[in-house]
Amino acid sequence: MGYGIRLLVWGDYACFTRPEMKVERVSYDVMTPSAARGILEAIHWKPAIRWVVDRIHVLNEIRFDNIRRNEVGGKIPAGNVKKAMKGETVALCQYAADDRQQRATLLLRDVAYIIEAHFEITENAGPEDSAEKHYNIVLRRARQGQCYHYPYLGCREFPARFRLIEEDEPLPRSIHKGDKDLGWMLLDIDYKNNMTSKFFRAVMKEGVIEVPRMEEGGIAK
C-alpha cells in the first residue's frame, strides 16, 4: 500500500459513458474508477507514480436527466495524419457545420463522491522521486485547489470541484443504505496489454464501492 488521500469531488452534472452504447451517451449510475483516476491525475501525476483507486463513496441520490447536444459525427482519418507526418499535403481539419449531429445524453445530476486512493512508485522513478516528496506535493496541491488541467466528471463539459479531506476529518455520510448491485462496470484500460478494457462487478454497500486492482479478477474485452 502506498501513500493515500481522500478527495471529495462534486458537480452539477456528470456522464460516465457506458462503452456498450454506440450512438447515444448513457451514463453509468456512479463514477467509474477510471474517471476517479483521471481526476487524481489532473491534480498531480508524474511518470514516477501510478494512482490506484481503492474505493468510491457515493454520497448523493442517483438522479438521471436527459439532454440533447450537438456533436461532430466523424474524426480526422489516421491515414491523413500519417501522410502529413511524411510531408504530404493533406487537409487536417474538420468543419463542424458540415458534420454536426444531434445526440441524446442520459446523464447524472447533482453528484458527489469521495475518492479513496493511493499512489505507488513505478519503475520510471528516479533517485529523487521519493514517496514522501510526491505525497507532500499531492497534499499541497489538493489543499490549494491546484491542478494541471481542470478535472471533469466523465465529459469535459462537466467540471468537477474538489477538496482534500484531512486525516482527522470525519467522512461525509452517504444517503445510501444496504447493498445495491450496479452490474458490470468499466474498471480501467490496461495500457500494458494492448489497451484492453477491464471490467468488474460493482456492488455498492452502504454507499461504498470497493474497487479491485487491475490484476485482480474481472473480465477483459
Side-chain angles (χ1 to χ4, degrees):
M1 178 68 71
Y3 285 75
I5 69 167
R6 303 179 302 176
L7 194 72
L8 174 64
V9 298
W10 70 97
D12 298 327
Y13 297 98
C15 183
F16 309 106
T17 307
R18 291 179 174 271
E20 65 267 26
M21 303 299 179
K22 301 299 183 181
V23 178
E24 312 295 352
R25 293 186 184 272
V26 178
S27 177
Y28 282 109
D29 291 14
V30 300
M31 170 187 283
T32 61
S34 58
R37 175 180 56 80
I39 291 175
L40 296 168
E41 291 180 348
I43 298 172
H44 178 63
W45 178 84
K46 294 290 183 182
I49 66 172
R50 175 178 60 249
W51 282 106
V52 180
V53 178
D54 299 311
R55 57 192 64 85
I56 297 173
H57 300 243
V58 183
L59 301 182
N60 292 355
E61 178 187 356
I62 299 174
R63 300 168 57 196
F64 285 95
D65 204 348
N66 282 287
I67 63 171
R68 299 191 70 87
R69 299 184 297 175
N70 290 326
E71 299 185 8
V72 175
K75 59 184 179 180
I76 298 174
N80 287 1
V81 177
K82 293 179 180 179
K83 291 178 182 179
M85 294 172 64
K86 295 178 181 179
E88 300 182 29
T89 302
V90 294
L92 290 180
C93 62
Q94 283 183 288
Y95 297 98
D98 298 334
D99 195 22
R100 183 179 291 124
Q101 296 179 356
Q102 192 174 79
R103 295 182 178 179
T105 300
L106 182 65
L107 48 74
L108 298 165
R109 60 182 304 175
D110 189 24
V111 298
Y113 307 100
I114 296 172
I115 302 170
E116 289 192 65
H118 69 277
F119 67 84
E120 300 171 347
I121 299 297
T122 70
E123 63 275 8
N124 298 317
E128 73 284 357
D129 289 309
S130 67
E132 292 81 3
K133 169 188 171 181
H134 286 284
Y135 184 60
N136 290 326
I137 292 175
V138 171
L139 293 182
R140 184 183 71 249
R141 293 179 64 83
R143 284 169 178 155
Q144 297 177 357
Q146 296 177 326
C147 50
Y148 293 111
H149 61 84
Y150 209 85
Y152 51 89
L153 296 164
C155 297
R156 290 188 181 273
E157 58 263 48
F158 306 136
R161 287 162 282 179
F162 66 91
R163 75 169 181 86
L164 180 71
I165 299 177
E166 301 290 350
E167 290 187 7
D168 58 349
E169 181 181 351
L171 291 177
R173 298 182 63 87
S174 171
I175 69 166
H176 298 280
K177 304 297 180 183
D179 297 353
K180 182 176 182 180
D181 188 346
L182 300 175
W184 290 100
M185 177 181 290
L186 176 67
L187 175 60
D188 213 324
I189 306 298
D190 189 353
Y191 293 97
K192 294 184 178 180
N193 188 21
N194 297 322
M195 297 186 66
T196 304
S197 300
K198 299 293 288 289
F199 295 80
F200 76 109
R201 193 77 181 191
V203 178
M204 185 170 62
K205 298 181 178 181
E206 301 294 325
V208 181
I209 301 171
E210 295 287 341
V211 180
R213 295 181 63 93
M214 285 282 286
E215 55 271 18
E216 295 178 357
I219 59 174
K221 288 188 176 181

